[in-house]
Amino acid sequence: MKTFRLLAIIPTALAMSLVFTEVNLAQTPTIQINRNLQPDPLVLKGKSGGTLKSNCGNITTEPNQVIQVTESLPYLRLTAESQGKATLLIDGPGGRFCVLPDSYSGGKSELSGYWQTGKYLLYVGELSQREYNYTLSISQKKK
């Protein structure tokens, strides 16, 4: 009897977990990006870091930003910076990528190049255990 009760609870808990995950994603506003990005650069702000340890630093359980690329873009650049060591975890149609701060980008985390159509979940992480205010810049202009 106890086994039957446990088997009834597990699927319910899993379903509830999925519902709450969708609700959390819905709370992060989606930004539409197309060939006519205005303003350029688009600057977004938030808090870097989080309690979840990942191979891309400490991140939050839900994305900091969600962008929807509405058409393929030959060039798009994302730059994350903070007073700490901000990282950028990008989960999108082409896979999951971790961008760490480097000296070439002046201690910022930066990714640029071709972007395909689709939804991208952006996590602004932190290599330290702390949280910092971050600035995320999205631009179609080459440096």
Side-chain angles (χ1 to χ4, degrees):
M1 189 68 148
K2 287 183 181 182
T3 304
F4 178 72
R5 221 180 253 167
L6 183 59
L7 291 175
I9 292 172
I10 291 173
T12 304
L14 180 59
M16 296 284 290
S17 166
L18 292 172
V19 167
F20 288 127
T21 299
E22 287 301 315
V23 169
N24 286 338
L25 285 177
Q27 291 175 355
T28 305
T30 300
I31 298 164
Q32 304 285 320
I33 305 279
N34 60 34
R35 291 184 191 270
N36 301 315
L37 179 64
Q38 292 298 321
D40 190 350
L42 176 62
V43 178
L44 307 169
K45 297 182 182 280
K47 287 264 190 214
S48 67
T51 57
L52 184 64
K53 293 179 192 277
S54 78
N55 63 349
C56 202
N58 296 307
I59 60 172
T60 56
T61 55
E62 48 193 73
N64 298 84
Q65 306 292 330
V66 177
I67 62 172
Q68 178 73 41
V69 176
T70 59
E71 57 186 300
S72 295
L73 300 173
Y75 183 84
L76 187 70
R77 178 171 28 95
L78 268 61
T79 307
E81 63 181 308
S82 74
Q83 290 181 336
K85 293 186 181 241
T87 64
L88 193 54
L89 178 63
I90 303 166
D91 194 0
R96 194 169 201 179
F97 303 94
C98 175
V99 185
L100 299 173
D102 60 29
S103 57
Y104 178 77
S105 301
K108 303 171 190 170
S109 296
E110 188 169 275
L111 180 70
S112 63
Y114 172 84
W115 287 65
Q116 67 185 18
T117 303
K119 182 187 274 188
Y120 294 83
L121 307 178
L122 308 177
Y123 299 82
V124 182
E126 183 59 49
L127 289 178
S128 73
Q129 299 279 15
R130 300 185 59 194
E131 292 183 356
Y132 294 95
N133 292 325
Y134 72 79
T135 301
L136 178 67
S137 175
I138 303 172
S139 179
Q140 293 177 340
K141 297 176 185 173
K142 294 185 179 181
K143 284 187 172 182

